[in-house]
Amino acid sequence: MSILTKAKKIYRVVLNPQIFTCRVKYLFVFSHMRSRSSVLSHVLGTNSNICGYRELHTTYRGRMSLIKMRAMIFSDLECNLNDKYLLDKILHDYHFSDRVFEIVKPKVIFLLREPEDTIKSIINIGYNDPMKVMDYYCDRLMSLIEYSKKIGKGYFFIESNELVDNTDNVLEKLSIWLNLSEPLDKRYLTFRNTGKPGHGDTSHNIKSGILKKTKNYSDLKIPREVLQRGESSYKNCRDSLLKGIIK
């Protein structure tokens, strides 16, 4: 980013004190790469009650981190933040302090995809070593378990296949849980950075404007011993996440 671009963003922030003073709520999607988090975030960000649609790639340590989140979302969308959910998705092990949960009590969605489809999808975008990809997947699932324990009960858990196989039901339940004034819809808007590198899914699918099932890369093969490790991590994570759901 050039100095001029940074200066323009700072200028926009200074001219909009609502970034610092408005009343907002916070919504985080905790997941892993290639979990369908991009399309879920676009569905969420299209709703008039929510601002945000992508991964901000930032750390959360306290109140100043949340102010930075506000500024980043406003700079990207230039939307009215007041009384909105501000959305970020967390796919990597950036620092996320327990203090943030205490300060703002955010709504948290956990999104989990089965290992075979996940690993094949990650390999398809250029990560060629199945062992290293599985290391990331298993480590990330351990982090999701730890986050869920810190939150306790009351988060929302989505299984990625359910998101595409039972879309209307999942979105209806999620709309109620978030207490949205208008329901979520499987049709969504695209935004300034949709499909761009560094901002989530770069495939043509994300630009389609509708949440739907896509290619599963059945031609790719994962070594059985690698897949078994992922299946064990997936089961442990899924079992743990299910414990925190309020029925």
Side-chain angles (χ1 to χ4, degrees), residues 1-14:
M1 185 184 298
S2 70
I3 294 176
L4 179 59
T5 300
K6 287 183 180 179
K8 287 180 178 178
K9 287 189 175 184
I10 293 171
Y11 184 66
R12 282 202 299 271
V13 169
V14 170

Side-chain angles (χ1 to χ4, degrees), residues 40 109-112 156-160 162-163 170 174:
L40 173 62
I109 300 168
F110 285 97
L111 176 64
L112 183 64
F156 198 92
F157 173 43
I158 303 175
E159 297 187 60
S160 182
E162 277 291 290
L163 184 62
V170 170
L174 185 53

Side-chain angles (χ1 to χ4, degrees), residues 6-242:
K6 287 183 180 179
K8 287 180 178 178
K9 287 189 175 184
I10 293 171
Y11 184 66
R12 282 202 299 271
V13 169
V14 170
L15 289 181
N16 289 275
Q18 63 145 319
I19 293 171
F20 307 97
T21 61
C22 65
R23 181 176 61 187
V24 299
K25 299 170 284 187
Y26 295 91
L27 173 61
F28 294 100
V29 176
F30 281 87
S31 190
H32 53 82
M33 290 172 62
R34 310 308 293 171
S35 61
R36 301 190 174 99
S37 63
S38 286
V39 70
L40 173 62
S41 296
H42 275 68
V43 166
L44 290 166
T46 295
N47 191 278
S48 63
N49 298 271
I50 302 171
C51 291
Y53 64 95
R54 63 181 181 90
E55 187 176 12
L56 298 177
H57 300 283
T58 190
T59 60
Y60 290 93
R61 299 181 183 276
R63 292 190 185 278
M64 288 306 299
S65 303
L66 296 169
I67 294 295
K68 179 181 178 183
M69 178 190 186
R70 293 181 183 214
M72 291 175 74
I73 290 174
F74 179 81
S75 180
D76 189 1
L77 295 172
E78 297 184 357
C79 57
N80 181 1
L81 304 181
N82 195 46
D83 285 328
K84 304 288 182 64
Y85 281 108
L86 303 189
L87 169 68
D88 190 6
K89 61 173 183 170
I90 316 293
L91 308 185
H92 301 276
D93 287 338
Y94 304 119
H95 183 80
F96 198 102
S97 172
D98 297 355
R99 180 162 170 72
V100 174
F101 294 125
E102 297 167 2
I103 293 171
V104 295
K105 294 180 172 53
K107 290 278 193 175
V108 174
I109 300 168
F110 285 97
L111 176 64
L112 183 64
R113 190 176 185 182
E114 293 183 2
E116 184 170 7
D117 287 344
T118 301
I119 302 311
K120 287 180 176 179
S121 186
I122 294 175
I123 289 173
N124 183 69
I125 61 172
Y127 295 84
N128 297 320
D129 188 335
M131 287 290 289
K132 289 184 178 179
V133 172
M134 189 59 77
D135 286 344
Y136 158 78
Y137 179 78
C138 294
D139 289 347
R140 185 60 189 158
L141 265 56
M142 282 298 298
S143 296
L144 297 185
I145 291 172
E146 291 305 311
Y147 283 127
S148 71
K149 289 178 179 177
K150 292 174 182 178
I151 297 168
K153 293 185 180 294
Y155 51 76
F156 198 92
F157 173 43
I158 303 175
E159 297 187 60
S160 182
N161 285 342
E162 277 291 290
L163 184 62
V164 292
D165 292 335
N166 198 12
T167 304
D168 291 342
N169 185 48
V170 170
L171 295 185
E172 180 182 7
K173 290 180 178 178
L174 185 53
S175 299
I176 293 170
W177 181 72
L178 290 171
N179 193 29
L180 301 176
S181 60
E182 65 178 64
L184 296 167
D185 192 284
K186 63 184 176 183
R187 296 189 180 277
Y188 59 84
L189 301 173
T190 56
F191 300 92
R192 179 186 302 172
N193 290 305
T194 296
K196 293 182 180 179
H199 299 284
D201 190 355
T202 57
S203 73
H204 291 297
N205 296 326
I206 194 62
K207 298 178 181 179
S208 70
I210 185 168
L211 198 167
K212 61 184 178 181
K213 200 160 192 172
T214 55
K215 182 181 177 182
N216 63 6
Y217 309 109
S218 58
D219 52 321
L220 294 175
K221 303 299 179 186
I222 308 298
R224 186 60 201 160
E225 64 275 13
V226 174
L227 198 53
Q228 285 176 334
R229 181 180 166 215
E231 287 168 349
S232 176
S233 292
Y234 171 81
K235 182 180 185 305
N236 288 340
C237 186
R238 181 178 183 274
D239 289 348
S240 182
L241 291 175
L242 286 171

